Amino acid sequence: MQNNNIQVCDFRLHDIIDGRYRVERVLDVSDMTRKFKVVDPSGTEYTLTLFPLWKTERRKRGEMQSYIDNEIKSCRIKSCYLTAVSGTGMAEGNPYFLSEYVTAKDLLHCPKGKGFDVVRTAKAILYGLDDLHKSGKVHGRLSPEKILVTEDGNVLLTDYAGGGRKSMSPGAHRTGVSRPGLFDRIAAYKAPELLGPECSATVLPSADVFSFGVVLFQLLTAELPFGRLQSESDWVNYLARERSSEWNRNLLSRLENHEIWVGILDLCLAYDASGRAGNIGEILKKFPEDGYTYESMPGSQVKAPEVIQNGLSLHVMQGDETGRHFRLPEVMQLPRRIITVGRNDNAIFNMIPLKESVTSYISRRHFTMEYDDEADVWYVRDGQWDKTARGRWIRSLNGTFVNSERISAEGHKIVPGDIISVGEVKLRVEAY
């Protein structure tokens, strides 16, 4: 890609993008993306999301291009609860992707009268989050504006590209103030670990659990869980209550089945991520039976292969090498039954080297996999053995996570479907 070919693309109404798509409406403009409603020559409507590569430093544009390509690839998830990515392209050197345009209102603005079903809506949001998490994705920006409700009541999550990657996320949402004098209310939906200068290097599913709790509380009460939030001065008090997990239970007392709602929200609104539900399934079990069950989409690969014929593999679901498979029996160098995993670096040999072109969250000695041949079980341990180091065992700098749990050097058993998070790289454990 030639940097000189990248042009500024401030498209407006009736402009033509990539010689094919006519802009019918500008939907959103942010530091990270430009979103448009467009129509192609056949009359088919799409949402076109453009990544403004011209805003990236020239020397980093090649890396960012590759990064965005892999991000788009990781978002091709077939689900009844997610807006679908249907195509990609380039506009004046800037990458974009197309998703289905849905005639719908976002959750904040859709009618919530007598016919509105809170249980069905909440469960549909959870089904969408579960499909993302099983696919190695974290939404990372869940709020009512990112949840679409169609005229017939179907619920779709949207705008999940890049939300679970720190280097793709706008810095404004980390503090709650987008620029001096302007309060950013969207920050109220962000998990605490994603806010502030000390925010975690790895975005985990537990972040979406917190965001869902805020959305659900607002659906039930029309309020935010930790108090009023209309100005920057309110934000200080709001954060103080959030740090103490003091969400307003009293507002739920007038609701039917309020004990159920309190139980669900207790699983979601803990300040510490370790105090929240470990997966979406834990939350769904708390909901009353209403006959509204999960519906899978034909051809979906949301569920990891579970029938083991030859062994386990690590499938890169997000990262520089999205789509690559590492088959553990083929990587393992017998008679040793361990596999070392870390950042691709000439100074350190790892049996599975992970490429990281934009960020520096992966340690050179990040984690170790050990195979118990008698039990036919694999374990993951944070860090690696180093005979030259004090204590001989070096832990990773940013941690190794299985699903939403930070693991230790003691070892954590893995099974098909588990997601191993290493910085911004997501590896799904699969049978083959």
Side-chain angles (χ1 to χ4, degrees), residues 204-259:
L204 298 168
S206 51
D208 285 343
V209 169
F210 182 89
S211 300
F212 168 77
V214 179
V215 170
L216 177 61
F217 187 92
Q218 193 172 29
L219 270 180
L220 294 169
T221 68
E223 303 286 346
L224 291 170
F226 300 101
R228 187 181 69 170
L229 198 52
Q230 297 176 345
S231 67
E232 288 184 35
S233 59
D234 290 335
W235 180 246
V236 176
N237 294 326
Y238 192 91
L239 282 181
R241 287 187 290 270
E242 188 178 87
R243 279 191 291 269
S244 301
S245 299
E246 294 177 6
W247 60 273
N248 194 344
R249 291 167 172 77
N250 293 332
L251 281 181
L252 300 180
S253 60
R254 65 178 182 268
L255 299 178
E256 185 179 355
N257 297 324
H258 71 273
E259 298 92 347

Side-chain angles (χ1 to χ4, degrees), residues 206-364:
S206 51
D208 285 343
V209 169
F210 182 89
S211 300
F212 168 77
V214 179
V215 170
L216 177 61
F217 187 92
Q218 193 172 29
L219 270 180
L220 294 169
T221 68
E223 303 286 346
L224 291 170
F226 300 101
R228 187 181 69 170
L229 198 52
Q230 297 176 345
S231 67
E232 288 184 35
S233 59
D234 290 335
W235 180 246
V236 176
N237 294 326
Y238 192 91
L239 282 181
R241 287 187 290 270
E242 188 178 87
R243 279 191 291 269
S244 301
S245 299
E246 294 177 6
W247 60 273
N248 194 344
R249 291 167 172 77
N250 293 332
L251 281 181
L252 300 180
S253 60
R254 65 178 182 268
L255 299 178
E256 185 179 355
N257 297 324
H258 71 273
E259 298 92 347
I260 292 176
W261 296 120
V262 169
I264 291 171
L265 289 166
D266 271 334
L267 287 175
C268 301
L269 293 175
Y271 180 81
D272 192 325
S274 63
R276 301 177 210 142
N279 57 68
I280 296 299
E282 289 183 36
I283 306 172
L284 285 167
K285 288 178 182 177
K286 294 286 187 179
F287 274 79
E289 289 293 332
D290 67 340
Y292 180 59
T293 57
Y294 174 82
E295 182 180 349
S296 62
M297 180 175 285
S300 172
Q301 296 180 334
V302 165
K303 191 174 182 180
E306 296 179 342
V307 179
I308 300 176
Q309 297 180 335
N310 300 294
L312 296 182
S313 71
L314 297 184
H315 182 183
V316 183
M317 305 298 289
Q318 176 177 283
D320 281 11
E321 297 181 291
T322 298
R324 185 174 180 180
H325 292 260
F326 297 98
R327 294 183 171 183
L328 302 187
E330 298 174 11
V331 174
M332 183 170 56
Q333 299 176 357
L334 294 173
R336 301 181 69 197
R337 291 181 170 83
I338 67 167
I339 294 174
T340 53
V341 185
R343 187 173 75 241
N344 188 21
D345 191 301
N346 292 333
I348 298 291
F349 172 75
N350 281 291
M351 299 174 190
I352 296 180
L354 299 176
K355 291 185 178 180
E356 186 183 28
S357 61
V358 178
T359 58
S360 299
Y361 298 142
I362 303 175
S363 298
R364 290 184 297 176

Side-chain angles (χ1 to χ4, degrees), residues 57-264:
E57 293 179 46
R58 284 180 174 271
R59 62 186 179 87
K60 294 183 178 181
R61 286 177 178 176
E63 294 176 351
M64 186 57 69
Q65 171 70 70
S66 175
Y67 193 77
I68 292 170
D69 288 346
N70 281 309
E71 178 63 26
I72 293 173
K73 189 187 300 182
S74 72
C75 289
R76 288 183 173 273
I77 303 168
K78 290 186 177 181
S79 168
C80 296
Y81 309 95
L82 306 172
T83 54
V85 175
S86 54
T88 64
M90 299 286 288
E92 305 293 342
N94 299 279
Y96 68 82
F97 71 87
L98 298 167
S99 56
E100 58 180 324
Y101 180 80
V102 181
T103 303
K105 293 186 177 180
D106 66 49
L107 191 60
L108 190 65
H109 298 100
C110 76
K112 300 180 183 67
K114 188 176 180 180
F116 185 79
D117 191 330
V118 174
V119 172
R120 178 188 170 101
T121 301
K123 288 175 72 174
I125 296 170
L126 289 172
Y127 292 150
L129 290 177
D130 200 35
D131 280 355
L132 283 174
H133 297 171
K134 288 178 178 177
S135 303
K137 299 294 296 181
V138 177
H139 193 294
R141 296 195 301 268
L142 186 71
S143 69
E145 291 86 351
K146 313 298 183 184
I147 302 166
L148 304 180
V149 183
T150 65
E151 292 181 356
D152 54 3
N154 289 331
V155 176
L156 296 167
L157 305 189
T158 189
D159 204 22
Y160 50 88
R165 304 184 77 160
K166 292 292 296 304
S167 48
M168 292 282 286
S169 301
H173 294 333
R174 296 179 187 176
T175 62
V177 180
S178 56
R179 57 182 180 269
L182 182 63
F183 175 73
D184 191 348
R185 198 167 183 268
I186 294 298
Y189 300 92
K190 281 269 190 176
E193 61 269 22
L194 302 186
L195 297 171
E198 302 301 323
C199 51
S200 173
T202 304
V203 182
L204 298 168
S206 51
D208 285 343
V209 169
F210 182 89
S211 300
F212 168 77
V214 179
V215 170
L216 177 61
F217 187 92
Q218 193 172 29
L219 270 180
L220 294 169
T221 68
E223 303 286 346
L224 291 170
F226 300 101
R228 187 181 69 170
L229 198 52
Q230 297 176 345
S231 67
E232 288 184 35
S233 59
D234 290 335
W235 180 246
V236 176
N237 294 326
Y238 192 91
L239 282 181
R241 287 187 290 270
E242 188 178 87
R243 279 191 291 269
S244 301
S245 299
E246 294 177 6
W247 60 273
N248 194 344
R249 291 167 172 77
N250 293 332
L251 281 181
L252 300 180
S253 60
R254 65 178 182 268
L255 299 178
E256 185 179 355
N257 297 324
H258 71 273
E259 298 92 347
I260 292 176
W261 296 120
V262 169
I264 291 171

Side-chain angles (χ1 to χ4, degrees), residues 384-409:
Q384 292 182 17
W385 170 265
D386 182 0
K387 64 181 180 180
T388 66
R390 181 182 298 179
R392 305 296 189 187
W393 191 268
I394 298 178
R395 297 289 301 272
S396 70
L397 293 177
N398 289 310
T400 304
F401 301 83
V402 175
N403 303 320
S404 284
E405 181 182 351
R406 186 169 191 149
I407 66 171
S408 69

